Short mmCIF file of all heavy atoms in Angstrom, two decimals:
data_model
loop_
_atom_site.label_atom_id
_atom_site.label_comp_id
_atom_site.label_asym_id
_atom_site.label_seq_id
_atom_site.Cartn_x
_atom_site.Cartn_y
_atom_site.Cartn_z
N LEU K 1468 5.29 0.00 -4.78
CA LEU K 1468 3.88 0.00 -4.37
C LEU K 1468 3.70 0.69 -3.02
O LEU K 1468 2.80 1.52 -2.86
CB LEU K 1468 3.36 -1.44 -4.31
CG LEU K 1468 1.92 -1.63 -3.88
CD1 LEU K 1468 0.99 -1.24 -5.01
CD2 LEU K 1468 1.68 -3.07 -3.49
N LEU K 1469 4.56 0.38 -2.06
CA LEU K 1469 4.45 1.01 -0.75
C LEU K 1469 4.79 2.49 -0.81
O LEU K 1469 4.18 3.31 -0.11
CB LEU K 1469 5.35 0.30 0.26
CG LEU K 1469 4.88 -1.08 0.68
CD1 LEU K 1469 5.90 -1.74 1.60
CD2 LEU K 1469 3.52 -1.00 1.36
N PHE K 1470 5.74 2.87 -1.64
CA PHE K 1470 6.08 4.28 -1.79
C PHE K 1470 4.91 5.06 -2.36
O PHE K 1470 4.57 6.15 -1.87
CB PHE K 1470 7.31 4.44 -2.68
CG PHE K 1470 7.77 5.86 -2.83
CD1 PHE K 1470 8.48 6.47 -1.81
CD2 PHE K 1470 7.47 6.58 -3.97
CE1 PHE K 1470 8.88 7.78 -1.93
CE2 PHE K 1470 7.87 7.88 -4.10
CZ PHE K 1470 8.59 8.50 -3.08
N ILE K 1471 4.27 4.52 -3.38
CA ILE K 1471 3.10 5.18 -3.98
C ILE K 1471 1.95 5.25 -2.97
O ILE K 1471 1.28 6.28 -2.85
CB ILE K 1471 2.67 4.46 -5.27
CG1 ILE K 1471 3.73 4.67 -6.35
CG2 ILE K 1471 1.31 4.94 -5.75
CD1 ILE K 1471 3.52 3.82 -7.58
N ALA K 1472 1.74 4.16 -2.23
CA ALA K 1472 0.65 4.16 -1.24
C ALA K 1472 0.91 5.18 -0.14
O ALA K 1472 -0.01 5.86 0.32
CB ALA K 1472 0.50 2.77 -0.65
N TYR K 1473 2.16 5.33 0.28
CA TYR K 1473 2.48 6.32 1.31
C TYR K 1473 2.34 7.74 0.76
O TYR K 1473 1.81 8.62 1.43
CB TYR K 1473 3.90 6.10 1.84
CG TYR K 1473 4.32 7.13 2.85
CD1 TYR K 1473 3.79 7.13 4.13
CD2 TYR K 1473 5.23 8.11 2.51
CE1 TYR K 1473 4.16 8.07 5.06
CE2 TYR K 1473 5.62 9.06 3.44
CZ TYR K 1473 5.08 9.04 4.71
OH TYR K 1473 5.46 9.99 5.61
N ALA K 1474 2.78 7.95 -0.48
CA ALA K 1474 2.70 9.28 -1.09
C ALA K 1474 1.26 9.72 -1.30
O ALA K 1474 0.96 10.92 -1.20
CB ALA K 1474 3.46 9.30 -2.41
N THR K 1475 0.36 8.79 -1.58
CA THR K 1475 -1.04 9.14 -1.79
C THR K 1475 -1.85 9.14 -0.50
O THR K 1475 -3.01 9.51 -0.52
CB THR K 1475 -1.70 8.19 -2.80
OG1 THR K 1475 -1.58 6.86 -2.32
CG2 THR K 1475 -1.07 8.32 -4.16
N GLY K 1476 -1.24 8.68 0.60
CA GLY K 1476 -1.94 8.69 1.88
C GLY K 1476 -2.78 7.45 2.14
O GLY K 1476 -3.59 7.44 3.06
N MET K 1477 -2.60 6.41 1.35
CA MET K 1477 -3.39 5.20 1.55
C MET K 1477 -2.89 4.39 2.73
O MET K 1477 -3.66 3.65 3.32
CB MET K 1477 -3.37 4.34 0.29
CG MET K 1477 -4.14 4.95 -0.84
SD MET K 1477 -4.17 3.83 -2.22
CE MET K 1477 -4.92 4.86 -3.44
N VAL K 1478 -1.62 4.49 3.05
CA VAL K 1478 -1.06 3.85 4.24
C VAL K 1478 -0.35 4.92 5.05
O VAL K 1478 0.24 5.85 4.50
CB VAL K 1478 -0.09 2.69 3.89
CG1 VAL K 1478 -0.82 1.55 3.25
CG2 VAL K 1478 1.04 3.15 3.03
N GLN K 1479 -0.44 4.80 6.34
CA GLN K 1479 0.18 5.74 7.26
C GLN K 1479 1.08 4.98 8.22
O GLN K 1479 0.70 3.91 8.70
CB GLN K 1479 -0.88 6.49 8.07
CG GLN K 1479 -1.80 7.35 7.23
CD GLN K 1479 -1.08 8.51 6.61
OE1 GLN K 1479 -0.18 9.09 7.20
NE2 GLN K 1479 -1.47 8.85 5.39
N PRO K 1480 2.26 5.51 8.53
CA PRO K 1480 3.09 4.85 9.52
C PRO K 1480 2.44 4.95 10.89
O PRO K 1480 1.88 5.99 11.25
CB PRO K 1480 4.40 5.62 9.47
CG PRO K 1480 4.08 6.91 8.82
CD PRO K 1480 2.89 6.68 7.97
N HIS K 1481 2.47 3.85 11.66
CA HIS K 1481 1.82 3.87 12.96
C HIS K 1481 2.60 3.05 13.99
O HIS K 1481 2.06 2.66 14.99
CB HIS K 1481 0.38 3.37 12.86
CG HIS K 1481 0.26 1.98 12.34
ND1 HIS K 1481 0.28 1.71 10.99
CD2 HIS K 1481 0.16 0.78 12.96
CE1 HIS K 1481 0.17 0.40 10.82
NE2 HIS K 1481 0.11 -0.18 11.99
N GLY K 1482 3.87 2.81 13.74
CA GLY K 1482 4.67 2.02 14.65
C GLY K 1482 5.35 2.87 15.70
O GLY K 1482 4.99 4.03 15.94
N ILE K 1483 6.36 2.31 16.33
CA ILE K 1483 7.09 3.00 17.39
C ILE K 1483 7.77 4.25 16.86
O ILE K 1483 7.74 5.30 17.49
CB ILE K 1483 8.12 2.04 18.03
CG1 ILE K 1483 7.39 0.92 18.75
CG2 ILE K 1483 9.03 2.78 18.99
CD1 ILE K 1483 8.31 -0.17 19.25
N GLY K 1484 8.40 4.15 15.70
CA GLY K 1484 9.10 5.30 15.13
C GLY K 1484 8.16 6.47 14.84
O GLY K 1484 8.50 7.62 15.05
N ALA K 1485 6.95 6.18 14.37
CA ALA K 1485 5.98 7.23 14.08
C ALA K 1485 5.54 7.92 15.36
O ALA K 1485 5.37 9.14 15.40
CB ALA K 1485 4.78 6.67 13.34
N ARG K 1486 5.37 7.13 16.44
CA ARG K 1486 4.98 7.74 17.72
C ARG K 1486 6.11 8.57 18.29
O ARG K 1486 5.88 9.62 18.89
CB ARG K 1486 4.58 6.65 18.70
CG ARG K 1486 3.22 6.05 18.39
CD ARG K 1486 2.76 5.18 19.52
NE ARG K 1486 3.67 4.05 19.70
CZ ARG K 1486 3.34 2.79 19.53
NH1 ARG K 1486 2.12 2.48 19.18
NH2 ARG K 1486 4.21 1.83 19.71
#
Side-chain angles (χ1 to χ4, degrees):
L1468 179 75
L1469 288 176
F1470 183 78
I1471 291 170
Y1473 177 72
T1475 58
M1477 290 184 187
V1478 293
Q1479 297 293 325
H1481 60 277
I1483 294 172
R1486 286 191 297 244

